[in-house]
Amino acid sequence: MEPRRIIWRVYHTISLLHTGRLFRHIHWRGDMDIAPLFGVIITTPSPPPPTLVFWHTPPVGSYKINTDGCVKDGVASGGGIIRDSSGQCIRAFFSFYGDCTILEAELRAILDGIILAQRLGLSVLWVESDSTLAIHCITKGGGPWHIQATLRHIRHLLALDKDTITHIFREGNQVADLLASEGWDRRYYYEYSSQDLPRRHRSLVQIDRFGLPTVRGL
């Protein structure tokens, strides 16, 4: 237990871990300046190139539901929009969920969107969310016990043989993201018709409708 012996063993172990590629760039975060003392050369990885994200209209005769969940300061909200095959808004909504996790908020927003679509008599639905975890729980199962009732309700309402549920990057889900934030600000449930959709929301709908991309990774 001599100090020089301990220092040598630490140095030797770190060198072995680096040689075996078990130490990665992220493990030296905050300690980049001392890495060379152990013979470790840190190279900053290049960021991935920016990519274009497009929102796509659903096929003729079907309807697309984009939803999003939001959690800020420990409380949650959600929102979503239903559009037809021309990209026009049929109905949009936001809701306040209170104390729950982001996964719960994402799933409850999806459920609210499906319930709204069915109340409007719409069928052949394409549900789109930026939560890969929520989509996985719906299509593959699993997840914590407290979301199982919501999952069962979603699966009961969705006809997975004709309905679709897919992932979209957040950059392509901006209308739903804006609605979810509005639900957090207002803290109640509300629906917009196509006529009373606010100007900012309408502009984002038009961007999607005209096939204009947003940039991911800048």
Side-chain angles (χ1 to χ4, degrees):
M1 296 299 291
E2 294 179 358
R4 285 183 296 179
R5 179 72 176 171
I6 295 172
I7 292 170
W8 180 87
R9 292 186 65 179
V10 169
Y11 176 89
H12 183 65
T13 302
I14 290 176
S15 298
L16 286 176
L17 289 171
H18 176 65
T19 303
R21 297 185 179 181
L22 298 177
F23 260 141
R24 300 183 180 179
H25 180 272
I26 193 172
H27 297 142
W28 292 94
R29 187 170 51 191
D31 297 304
M32 296 290 188
D33 53 336
I34 68 168
L37 300 178
F38 295 94
V40 176
I41 306 301
I42 300 295
T43 57
T44 304
S46 301
T51 56
L52 298 180
V53 179
F54 294 86
W55 181 87
H56 298 285
T57 56
V60 175
S62 63
Y63 300 89
K64 194 170 193 180
I65 308 171
N66 282 86
T67 64
D68 193 24
C70 171
V71 173
K72 291 187 278 189
D73 298 331
V75 290
S77 60
I81 181 170
I82 305 173
R83 287 174 274 193
D84 63 16
S85 58
S86 67
Q88 295 279 15
C89 173
I90 302 296
R91 195 69 61 89
F93 71 94
F94 60 78
S95 186
F96 183 70
Y97 302 135
D99 182 18
C100 69
T101 66
I102 183 61
L103 178 58
E104 290 177 277
E106 296 281 4
L107 291 170
R108 290 178 66 174
I110 291 172
L111 178 59
D112 284 345
I114 296 170
I115 291 173
L116 175 58
Q118 295 197 347
R119 180 159 55 83
L120 296 172
L122 308 178
S123 59
V124 191
L125 305 177
W126 179 357
V127 179
E128 200 166 57
S129 168
D130 56 27
S131 172
T132 54
L133 181 56
I135 294 171
H136 184 274
C137 289
I138 294 169
T139 58
K140 305 296 184 182
W145 64 268
H146 57 268
I147 66 169
Q148 295 306 313
T150 305
L151 286 175
R152 285 194 296 271
H153 199 171
I154 291 172
R155 294 193 195 104
H156 176 71
L157 295 178
L158 274 182
L160 293 178
D161 57 335
K162 63 176 181 176
D163 297 329
T164 307
I165 181 164
T166 58
H167 173 264
I168 187 171
F169 288 119
R170 188 179 187 88
E171 290 79 4
N173 204 34
Q174 294 189 65
V175 185
D177 179 69
L178 181 59
L179 287 160
S181 295
E182 193 172 359
W184 193 92
D185 291 334
R186 299 202 182 189
R187 308 209 168 195
Y188 55 81
Y189 181 86
Y190 186 79
E191 293 177 14
Y192 289 117
S193 68
S194 58
Q195 288 76 31
D196 63 0
L197 198 65
R199 180 178 298 177
R200 186 181 176 193
H201 302 58
R202 288 202 308 269
S203 65
L204 292 174
V205 169
Q206 289 296 88
I207 288 173
D208 289 343
R209 186 165 172 252
F210 292 144
L212 300 176
T214 51
V215 181
R216 173 178 173 82
L218 284 181

